[in-house]
Amino acid sequence: MALSIVFIITSIITFVFIILKIRKNGLNINDSIIWILWAFALLILSFFPQIPTMVSNSLGFMSTSNFIFSIFIFFLYILLFIQAIQISKLKEKINELIQKLSIQEYEERKNKK
């Protein structure tokens, strides 16, 4: 029961925080979708605690809390992977912009001479 209350509070705080960040333009809507889905999943798990219990028993976890912590860690790994992809794309864009800027500066210097 205590775990359900923690999930309800956490999911509500997550929803409120995401909505506030979207309104203040601090968070992209595309990036916020995964957080909204995660908060919704927490809310479902808090209202139906038998779901994680059944799944954890069927997968052989010693307790439901171990299963939930494993799910949290898996979720964080997914987020880390998504952010690594985004960082990689941004690095490529930065290199491309640096190359374009260097070519532009070279042509400007060449035209001045």
Side-chain angles (χ1 to χ4, degrees):
M1 187 64 172
L3 190 59
S4 296
I5 294 170
V6 170
F7 280 163
I8 291 170
I9 293 170
T10 304
S11 61
I12 290 171
I13 290 171
T14 304
F15 273 128
V16 170
F17 185 72
I18 290 169
I19 299 301
L20 289 175
K21 282 296 183 181
I22 291 173
R23 285 187 180 176
K24 292 181 181 180
N25 292 329
L27 185 63
N28 189 353
I29 293 177
N30 293 335
D31 295 333
S32 66
I33 290 172
I34 194 164
W35 287 105
I36 291 171
L37 291 174
W38 180 249
F40 185 69
L42 281 177
L43 198 60
I44 289 173
L45 291 177
S46 63
F47 285 120
F48 302 106
Q50 63 272 18
I51 293 173
T53 303
M54 285 186 337
V55 174
S56 68
N57 288 338
S58 66
L59 293 176
F61 283 89
M62 297 287 273
S63 68
T64 306
S65 61
N66 290 346
F67 170 70
I68 292 172
F69 285 132
S70 297
I71 294 296
F72 284 170
I73 291 170
F74 178 72
F75 175 72
L76 292 174
Y77 275 131
I78 290 173
L79 286 177
L80 181 65
F81 182 70
I82 290 170
Q83 288 180 349
I85 291 171
Q86 290 174 342
I87 289 170
S88 178
K89 286 180 182 179
L90 288 173
K91 284 181 180 180
E92 288 177 16
K93 286 182 182 181
I94 287 173
N95 285 336
E96 184 179 324
L97 286 173
I98 289 171
Q99 290 171 356
K100 286 181 180 180
L101 184 62
S102 297
I103 291 171
Q104 183 181 8
E105 286 178 1
Y106 174 77
E107 289 178 356
E108 285 177 0
R109 286 181 190 164
K110 184 178 177 184
N111 290 336
K112 284 183 181 180
K113 290 182 180 182

